[in-house]
Amino acid sequence: MIIKSSIKHLNNMRITIYLTIILVFFNSIVFCQTAETERIYLSGKGYQDEKTWQFQVSEGRNSGEWTTIPVPSNWEQFGFGSYNYGHAKDEERGKEIGFYKYEFKVPSSWQNQKVEIVFEGSMTDTQVKINNKLAGPIHQGAFYRFSYDISDQLNFGEEYNLLEVKVAKHSENESVNRAERYADFWIFGGIFRPVYLQMKPVTNINRTSVNAKANGSFTAEIYLDGPKPQLSVEAQVFTLSNKKIGKPFSAKINKGKNKVQVHSTFTEIKPWNPEQPQLYKVRFQLLSNKKVVHEVFERFGFRTVELRERDGIYVNGVKIKFKGVNRHTFWPTAGRTSSKKRSIEDVKLIKSMNMNAVRMSHYPPDTHFLDVADSLGLFVLNELAGWHNSYDTDIGHKLVKAMVTRDVNHPSIILWNNGNEGGHNYELDTIFPKYDIQKRKVVHPWQTFNGMSNEHYRPYNYGVGTYWQGHEVVFPTEFLHGMYDGGSGAGLRDFWDLIWEKPQASGGFLWVFADEGVKRTDTGELDTYKGSAADGILGPFHEKEGSYFAIKEIWAPIQFQDLDITETFNGSFQVENQYFYTNLNELTFSWKLVQLPLPNKNTGLNTITGTAVSPDIEPGRIGELQLELPPNWFQNDALYITAKDKFGTEVYTWSWPIKIPEETIAELMANPGKTGTMALSETEEIITIEAGGIKYQIGKKDGLLREVRNTIGEIPFNNGPHLSAGKVIFKSLETIKQDGNIKLVASFEKGSRMKEFTWTFFPSGWAKLELYYKPEEYDVDFDFMGVDFDYPENLVTGVEWVGKGPYRVWKNRLQGASFGWHQKDYNNTITGVSPLIYPEFKGYHSNLYWAKIKTKEQDFLVATSTEDVFLRLFTPQYPQSVYEARTSPSFPEGDISFMQAIPAIGSKTNQPERLGPSGQKNIFFDYGTFDDWRLRSKHMVLYFDFSVK
């Protein structure tokens, strides 16, 4: 019995040893030595960080031969295939196929682990082979991450692996083409986002989904892959500087389950918002017997998003309004290939316009853009592609899953967009919350859906019980469509005032961030496809257009009262805090007093500076900003106030004139009537005035300036004052000698819209022109009013002036111009059309004091003592092949004008009068005939100096 018992015990020990050996062997397969995911890039990480692969394209440029190409990239930008815009006819579309090859090694340490090849984006149908074997089914959909488990297809160690990729620019799935490639944007081909290998343990954390609320509540779902012995998940929250927040929390994984949920609550956290983008990270560890099998980190923010129907959108309990813009992933030389550097620059530019939101149009962006939106602070609307047409349900389901599971943990994303302008597959609406633990609302851009009204390009105050006049929460996901110099900032002041006051209005998203001008590698041109893509606030290389500065001022979260500064000003400004989360005492304010230079005098920009105490004004409140100015402050010409946020970034610099034009003219004239000699002569047609070395010739039959000369020669400034609009019936010209000066008074018949003008010539050579005139027709709205002169455009080299600038303005885009001294060289820029030189030279410039017109022959000076005069410099050229009347405002005859009313500009989709009150034509009512015509006329006084400098 003893012997038998010993034998039985020995056998049991052998079984135990065998089982232990088997279990150790099993664990060596399931659990890797390293707990973290490892990654090896096969491509570069983005634009200007590429790797060279072998490449061949099937048709088009440089087709049919193996060569090389940088990856990631769009092949068109490296001389392959053909260029296509989404509006092109089907027979014009390039349908080439790209073939890629790349050899790579995999570390021996990765053997017996799970190895995936990951593509962040490929346009569009993509077939992948590893060592001559298919990695999996062909992927369809250009803008979405996809991956294949290739663990059993790899060679490890020193032996090379062959990667072969076939990319079809045109999809076999017609719904993919309709959603992505029949669209109002450039379409490209190629592996345009990074490709990499990633290694995990066989049993691993596949993905996580975090729901962290502003009240400190934290819930996460952890999804697992691989065999599942007895495991648990533990989570620990950290600051980004690795300080632990709270205690670790965990949950056991039930047998047979591939998902587990963990939950905790934190008391001392700061919520995320775009003004204070507080981020944290959480570490998830997959544990077996307290040993780490796999761990991943996720960055997140605590914040709560609510749609309160018939009320608004709330983030962290605060009702917000989107100050947003649509953004394509695009760069002229790179197509849709981007980089984190590019994303940082884009987000900083967006925020520099005082925007707080961005819509991903019309597809999900690179992950690094969302990372930057999280860290620098922007609300994001993330979008499933679908431009006017949607994916079919089968492919759409896969792509919704790919987008949501990739992006779910970004606190910047507060809404999902299901397609664009009709590209909404309703069967996909329920798929978004299936993969989104936060259950963000789904938007249909262009439709009223889900309690939100998001129609595009509706006019100002539009709606009959709908939209601005309705009950849904309204925010256009596109509005004020830019085109050339129209839209964007033009009309925004009116729209924003409306939005700010309407309770259900939650803001809007301007179209669009930047022009999509492709730097073509076949012709070398910067191509916006017949102007279709010349619709940005910025140029293709992010040149700042006039709307950039207008938006920056209009959307500044600090709004100053409308105030003229006079000698009684006590340094106090009433300001409104239009931040949503920031008290103005968190900002810094500085001021500057400036003495502006005078023309032809050796004076500079003399300044006095100081700081102001930041006022304690809560969001949404009005208070006072007090400046402690020096006793002699009124002797300066201009006052500037700069606000910077707590990160040191400029919010805006506001400017106010202190002196009025009349005071500047007094300095300029310097007693002109007390020097020099005067002479007058006349012929049957001409009166000639000689004064201070200047000879003026005035037409006796119209009073217009015919010629002006100095001792060097003629200055071809003439044929004025010509009335910009309206009938002129000349009556007489009277000569008056008075106080050592000579006056010529032009009178007009009763039916004339020009009522009177008077030339005064001074002994110094200066000339003064005083005008009384009326609009084109009695009690009829009009585009412009003023007077014109001729001057050869080909002689002009630049302008130097005091007034508002340096960008031109329109009646409905007066914002963004700063009062002060400016100069710019002549250019013939058509906004949005190459070659781009900004600011544009031609157009209307506001609040003129004086201007020196610089020329190839002789410079000359024009000035005014009248407030609110616009200096018009020539007529901008418009692209005739794609002329659009809505964005081509009218200009008067002549070349250089002095205007007291100018036209508004429209957008691509609306006439200016449909964009709000400031888009309406001008009104000047002359009150009838019961009092003196001088009281009923518009009055303007101009000065000219043609002397040799």
Side-chain angles (χ1 to χ4, degrees):
M1 293 292 295
I2 295 173
I3 295 173
K4 289 182 178 180
S5 178
S6 297
I7 294 171
K8 183 177 180 182
H9 179 69
L10 182 60
N11 288 335
N12 287 338
M13 287 179 62
R14 286 172 178 169
I15 293 169
T16 302
I17 291 169
Y18 294 155
L19 289 174
T20 302
I21 291 171
I22 292 169
L23 182 61
V24 169
F25 177 73
F26 177 79
N27 283 342
S28 71
I29 296 174
V30 173
F31 305 142
C32 69
Q33 295 174 352
T34 177
E36 296 180 359
T37 301
E38 295 181 14
R39 182 177 292 184
I40 296 174
Y41 277 87
L42 303 183
S43 72
K45 294 182 180 180
Y47 176 56
Q48 296 183 328
D49 176 21
E50 304 95 350
K51 290 184 180 178
T52 301
W53 290 17
Q54 292 178 280
F55 180 71
Q56 181 182 132
V57 70
S58 63
E59 58 186 82
R61 295 175 298 149
N62 297 311
S63 60
E65 294 185 3
W66 281 101
T67 179
T68 59
I69 193 171
V71 179
S73 67
N74 287 126
W75 61 55
E76 295 86 351
Q77 295 309 92
F78 288 89
F80 299 101
S82 58
Y83 283 100
N84 290 120
Y85 197 81
H87 286 335
K89 296 178 181 178
D90 192 65
E91 59 269 21
E92 298 172 354
R93 290 176 179 272
K95 298 181 180 179
E96 60 265 24
I97 297 173
F99 301 90
Y100 297 82
K101 292 181 181 180
Y102 186 72
E103 291 187 331
F104 62 95
K105 294 180 180 180
V106 181
S108 298
S109 60
W110 283 24
Q111 199 161 5
N112 298 323
Q113 312 304 326
K114 181 174 182 178
V115 182
E116 296 173 302
I117 186 168
V118 182
F119 289 74
E120 290 289 339
S122 179
M123 295 177 169
T124 179
D125 287 7
T126 305
Q127 180 193 80
V128 180
K129 287 184 177 181
I130 301 293
N131 296 325
N132 300 312
K133 295 181 180 179
L134 283 174
I138 292 173
H139 174 79
Q140 296 177 320
F143 304 99
Y144 309 87
R145 176 188 289 168
F146 61 98
S147 62
Y148 301 101
D149 183 350
I150 56 173
S151 309
D152 59 354
Q153 296 176 238
L154 292 171
N155 303 314
F156 296 91
E158 293 303 311
E159 189 175 354
Y160 278 98
N161 296 273
L162 176 63
L163 168 65
E164 296 174 279
V165 185
K166 176 184 175 183
V167 180
K169 185 174 179 178
H170 195 78
S171 179
E172 288 295 318
N173 184 314
E174 192 57 27
S175 79
V176 173
N177 294 322
R178 292 291 173 185
E180 296 180 357
R181 314 193 75 73
Y182 290 81
D184 190 7
F185 47 81
W186 288 101
I187 56 176
F188 297 96
I191 303 170
F192 73 106
R193 289 178 181 168
V195 182
Y196 53 88
L197 302 176
Q198 68 179 17
M199 182 276 288
K200 305 175 184 179
V202 174
T203 296
N204 62 77
I205 297 173
N206 178 21
R207 63 182 175 89
T208 65
S209 187
V210 172
N211 185 16
K213 293 186 176 294
N215 63 4
S217 168
F218 180 98
T219 302
E221 293 175 344
I222 299 93
Y223 294 83
L224 308 174
D225 270 347
K228 300 170 185 66
Q230 290 184 344
L231 297 171
S232 63
V233 169
E234 182 178 280
Q236 173 68 60
V237 173
F238 299 85
T239 66
L240 295 189
S241 59
N242 293 319
K243 179 183 176 182
K244 288 185 178 180
I245 303 295
K247 295 180 179 181
F249 49 104
S250 62
K252 291 184 178 181
I253 301 168
N254 294 327
K255 186 177 180 180
K257 298 295 183 181
N258 69 345
K259 182 179 77 170
V260 66
Q261 187 176 96
V262 294
H263 178 78
S264 187
T265 301
F266 300 88
T267 56
E268 297 183 1
I269 55 93
K270 295 180 180 178
W272 182 96
N273 65 67
E275 296 167 20
Q276 299 153 357
Q278 181 69 44
L279 291 171
Y280 297 86
K281 62 183 178 181
V282 57
R283 181 186 66 202
F284 297 106
Q285 292 182 324
L286 183 61
L287 303 175
S288 175
N289 296 321
K290 298 183 179 181
K291 292 184 179 180
V292 178
V293 177
H294 187 211
E295 71 175 20
V296 297
F297 286 86
E298 288 289 345
R299 201 173 65 161
F300 71 97
F302 289 92
R303 62 103 184 87
T304 303
V305 181
E306 303 170 82
L307 169 67
R308 300 182 188 176
E309 293 193 7
R310 301 169 70 93
D311 183 1
I313 294 173
Y314 288 75
V315 178
N316 305 338
V318 176
K319 190 174 186 177
I320 59 98
K321 293 181 187 282
F322 296 119
K323 297 186 286 186
V325 69
N326 287 266
R327 173 195 179 263
H328 275 293
T329 301
F330 180 80
W331 192 247
T333 56
R336 306 241 177 265
T337 301
S338 190
S339 66
K340 187 168 185 178
K341 179 183 176 183
R342 174 87 274 128
S343 290
I344 292 170
E345 291 173 352
D346 283 9
V347 170
K348 284 184 173 180
L349 272 169
I350 290 168
K351 287 184 69 73
S352 75
M353 288 183 275
N354 291 310
M355 295 176 174
N356 64 6
V358 61
R359 175 191 174 203
M360 302 291 90
S361 52
H362 293 289
Y363 38 80
D366 300 84
T367 54
H368 50 69
F369 183 88
L370 298 173
D371 290 338
V372 176
D374 292 342
S375 60
L376 297 184
L378 279 178
F379 293 129
V380 173
L381 274 59
N382 204 6
E383 184 157 313
L384 181 76
W387 195 89
H388 289 200
N389 292 278
S390 67
Y391 296 112
D392 65 45
T393 301
D394 182 52
I395 190 70
H397 187 149
K398 296 174 184 177
L399 299 180
V400 171
K401 178 182 178 181
M403 179 178 75
V404 175
T405 57
R406 188 197 75 165
D407 298 339
V408 65
N409 294 331
H410 290 281
S412 56
I413 299 173
I414 64 171
L415 295 167
W416 303 110
N417 288 350
N418 180 2
N420 172 71
E421 295 183 356
H424 322 295
N425 182 337
Y426 286 80
E427 293 180 359
L428 300 179
D429 290 324
T430 58
I431 307 303
F432 288 86
K434 180 178 179 180
Y435 297 104
D436 181 13
I437 190 174
Q438 298 177 29
K439 310 304 179 189
R440 299 167 177 95
K441 294 293 184 181
V442 176
V443 176
H444 284 186
W446 184 265
Q447 287 187 347
T448 295
F449 174 77
N450 226 357
M452 295 169 284
S453 190
N454 305 112
E455 285 81 359
H456 296 170
Y457 309 121
R458 295 301 186 258
Y460 175 86
N461 222 16
Y462 164 91
V464 180
T466 57
Y467 210 62
W468 303 122
Q469 308 303 327
H471 301 286
E472 288 86 8
V473 174
V474 57
F475 60 95
T477 35
E478 294 176 28
F479 78 120
L480 290 174
H481 196 309
M483 185 174 188
Y484 306 122
D485 204 25
S488 300
L492 181 59
R493 177 80 272 170
D494 290 337
F495 268 90
W496 190 244
D497 288 344
L498 174 74
I499 290 168
W500 193 253
E501 296 301 325
K502 290 273 184 185
Q504 289 91 352
S506 292
F509 292 79
L510 297 169
W511 186 271
V512 62
F513 177 58
D515 294 341
E516 273 205 316
V518 173
K519 182 67 175 176
R520 297 181 67 119
T521 53
D522 51 359
T523 65
E525 69 176 308
L526 197 60
D527 187 0
T528 58
Y529 192 70
K530 305 174 185 177
S532 291
D535 48 6
I537 299 164
L538 305 173
F541 288 101
H542 294 181
E543 303 90 340
K544 294 175 182 176
E545 299 177 7
S547 275
Y548 169 90
F549 298 96
I551 294 163
K552 185 179 179 73
E553 179 179 355
I554 294 165
W555 273 349
I558 306 159
Q559 293 292 312
F560 281 78
Q561 69 183 114
D562 191 5
L563 176 71
D564 280 357
I565 294 182
T566 67
E567 198 164 3
T568 60
F569 175 62
N570 64 2
S572 178
F573 286 95
Q574 188 178 87
V575 294
E576 181 180 3
N577 182 357
Q578 290 192 0
Y579 280 105
F580 297 101
Y581 304 95
T582 303
N583 191 308
L584 293 192
N585 61 17
E586 300 179 53
L587 280 69
T588 59
F589 293 85
S590 60
W591 54 264
K592 180 169 63 176
L593 292 166
V594 177
Q595 290 182 347
L596 299 171
L598 293 172
N600 308 321
K601 295 189 178 182
N602 189 23
T603 57
L605 292 166
N606 298 315
T607 64
I608 302 171
T609 61
T611 59
V613 175
S614 301
D616 181 7
I617 305 174
E618 293 286 345
R621 301 293 184 180
I622 296 174
E624 289 190 353
L625 174 68
Q626 181 66 49
L627 308 185
E628 299 299 332
L629 301 176
N632 63 345
W633 70 270
F634 198 67
Q635 296 175 11
N636 294 277
D637 297 309
L639 169 66
Y640 300 87
I641 297 177
T642 298
K644 292 185 178 180
D645 65 22
K646 64 180 181 181
F647 304 106
T649 303
E650 182 194 85
V651 176
Y652 195 72
T653 295
W654 296 264
S655 61
W656 293 266
I658 296 174
K659 291 180 180 176
I660 60 175
E662 189 175 7
E663 295 172 278
T664 300
I665 282 293
E667 296 181 54
L668 279 174
M669 294 289 286
N671 299 316
K674 297 183 179 179
T675 58
T677 59
M678 304 282 290
L680 182 149
S681 61
E682 56 183 296
T683 65
E684 184 177 343
E685 300 289 333
I686 296 293
I687 293 178
T688 301
I689 309 293
E690 297 186 55
I694 313 296
K695 181 185 288 187
Y696 297 91
Q697 292 190 347
I698 305 296
K700 293 178 71 174
K701 295 182 179 180
D702 53 19
L704 303 184
L705 177 65
R706 295 300 182 191
E707 184 178 282
V708 58
R709 289 179 175 272
N710 59 23
T711 54
I712 293 178
E714 181 183 1
I715 297 174
F717 181 81
N718 52 46
N719 199 30
H722 174 270
L723 193 63
S724 296
K727 184 186 297 185
V728 177
I729 309 172
F730 181 77
K731 182 178 181 181
S732 63
L733 186 67
E734 180 183 5
T735 302
I736 301 172
K737 293 183 178 181
Q738 187 179 65
D739 299 328
N741 305 321
I742 296 176
K743 293 186 176 183
L744 300 179
V745 181
S747 299
F748 298 84
E749 300 290 353
K750 184 177 180 180
S752 175
R753 305 309 288 174
M754 177 70 82
K755 307 311 294 182
E756 179 185 276
F757 63 76
T758 301
W759 287 102
T760 301
F761 301 97
F762 300 95
S764 63
W766 276 76
K768 172 184 175 183
L769 177 62
E770 183 171 16
L771 305 109
Y772 293 90
Y773 66 107
K774 294 182 178 181
E776 185 173 4
E777 294 183 64
Y778 175 76
D779 199 19
V780 174
D781 299 353
F782 54 92
D783 287 320
F784 48 70
M785 64 185 301
V787 293
D788 319 318
F789 289 82
D790 290 345
Y791 188 85
E793 183 179 330
N794 65 307
L795 295 181
V796 174
T797 60
V799 62
E800 172 189 333
W801 80 104
V802 165
K804 285 193 172 182
Y807 282 81
R808 67 188 181 198
V809 298
W810 308 103
K811 181 176 180 285
N812 58 347
R813 199 192 73 194
L814 297 175
Q815 298 78 19
S818 176
F819 178 77
W821 175 86
H822 306 281
Q823 65 175 355
K824 58 183 172 181
D825 295 333
Y826 173 86
N827 62 64
N828 193 28
T829 296
I830 302 170
T831 309
V833 179
S834 182
L836 301 173
I837 303 172
Y838 295 118
E840 303 93 336
F841 184 82
K842 299 179 181 181
Y844 301 106
H845 301 76
S846 59
N847 295 77
L848 175 68
Y849 278 52
W850 60 263
K852 180 191 288 187
I853 310 299
K854 296 185 174 184
T855 80
K856 297 175 183 177
E857 297 181 344
Q858 295 191 69
D859 300 348
F860 59 95
L861 183 70
V862 299
T864 182
S865 59
T866 303
E867 293 186 271
D868 304 318
V869 170
F870 298 89
L871 172 65
R872 173 274 187 119
L873 295 173
F874 304 99
T875 299
Q877 184 177 339
Y878 296 113
Q880 296 303 311
S881 59
V882 284
Y883 176 81
E884 172 52 66
R886 296 185 184 102
T887 56
S888 303
S890 57
F891 276 78
E893 298 177 9
D895 302 303
I896 296 175
S897 304
F898 305 91
M899 313 298 294
Q900 292 180 287
I902 62 171
I905 191 170
S907 68
K908 182 177 182 178
T909 57
N910 279 290
Q911 295 83 0
E913 57 270 20
R914 290 165 61 87
L915 299 181
S918 64
Q920 303 290 320
K921 290 181 180 290
N922 296 284
I923 304 171
F924 182 80
F925 189 66
D926 63 12
Y927 303 110
T929 59
F930 48 81
D931 52 19
D932 186 271
W933 58 263
R934 283 183 175 81
L935 299 177
R936 293 182 281 106
S937 299
K938 199 65 182 166
H939 177 235
M940 179 165 54
V941 181
L942 305 172
Y943 293 82
F944 305 91
D945 179 12
F946 299 102
S947 59
V948 176
K949 307 300 184 289

